[in-house]
Amino acid sequence: MIYSEKVMDHFANPRNVGEIPDADGVGEVGNAKCGDIMKMYIKVNDGIITDVKFKTFGCGAAVATSSMATELIKGKPIEEALKLTNKAVIEALDGLPAVKLHCSVLAEQAMKAALADYYRRQGVDPALIIGDLSAPDTCEI
Ligand code: FES
């Protein structure tokens, strides 16, 4: 299996690993295909994601995609984070082997679950903004 240099870099030196104790939103999801688990924490100020961290019991591709996803949404408005797809994360990593594409879904779903939690805490129904949060077990590519 060939991984891109970017995937290897984000796997070996993952960005934003950890937890945020006073997070404004926390999302935890599991991958139906492999049983791996991902937890993501976000801090929001004035509609901007000021900090994001993740922890995973997952494979190298899950670590790399989550690392890249957190880098892509950190410092961005929530609306932009909501538009981030696993496809965009894979592109930013210069691709993933086909058998590992499903791993990238974990990062996208954890991020959306954290955003949904944030909206819930604000008293807003996340379904109105994010839509269906049920995790697909296949990726969109
Ligand atoms: Fe489970 Fe990659 S094999 S997330």
Side-chain angles (χ1 to χ4, degrees):
M1 200 178 299
I2 307 288
Y3 288 108
S4 73
E5 266 174 43
K6 280 189 189 166
V7 172
M8 293 308 287
D9 175 34
H10 278 262
F11 169 58
N13 310 292
R15 283 50 150 191
N16 307 310
V17 172
E19 339 181 354
I20 303 175
D22 59 342
D24 297 313
V26 181
E28 184 171 347
V29 292
N31 193 314
K33 238 180 172 158
C34 61
D36 289 348
I37 296 166
M38 175 81 57
K39 199 163 181 179
M40 209 169 271
Y41 305 77
I42 54 165
K43 199 78 191 143
V44 180
N45 193 359
D46 254 349
I48 306 286
I49 299 173
T50 53
D51 200 9
V52 50
K53 294 223 183 303
F54 78 94
K55 279 176 115 179
T56 187
F57 185 80
C59 71
V63 171
T65 47
S66 304
S67 170
M68 180 55 91
T70 56
E71 285 287 273
L72 291 172
I73 66 169
K74 202 170 177 176
K76 300 273 165 58
I78 291 182
E79 291 74 28
E80 239 176 87
L82 285 171
K83 283 188 217 137
L84 185 70
T85 61
N86 65 319
K87 190 168 181 253
V89 174
I90 291 169
E91 275 164 14
L93 285 169
D94 294 336
L96 267 183
V99 294
K100 303 303 279 180
L101 292 178
H102 73 274
C103 311
S104 64
V105 176
L106 209 53
E108 181 187 330
Q109 291 298 321
M111 188 181 68
K112 289 196 172 147
L115 289 165
D117 184 45
Y118 165 75
Y119 280 118
R120 246 178 255 122
R121 293 185 194 200
Q122 306 298 309
V124 179
D125 180 359
L128 298 174
I129 296 155
I130 304 176
D132 183 14
L133 277 171
S134 55
D137 59 3
T138 52
C139 99
E140 283 165 10
I141 292 182

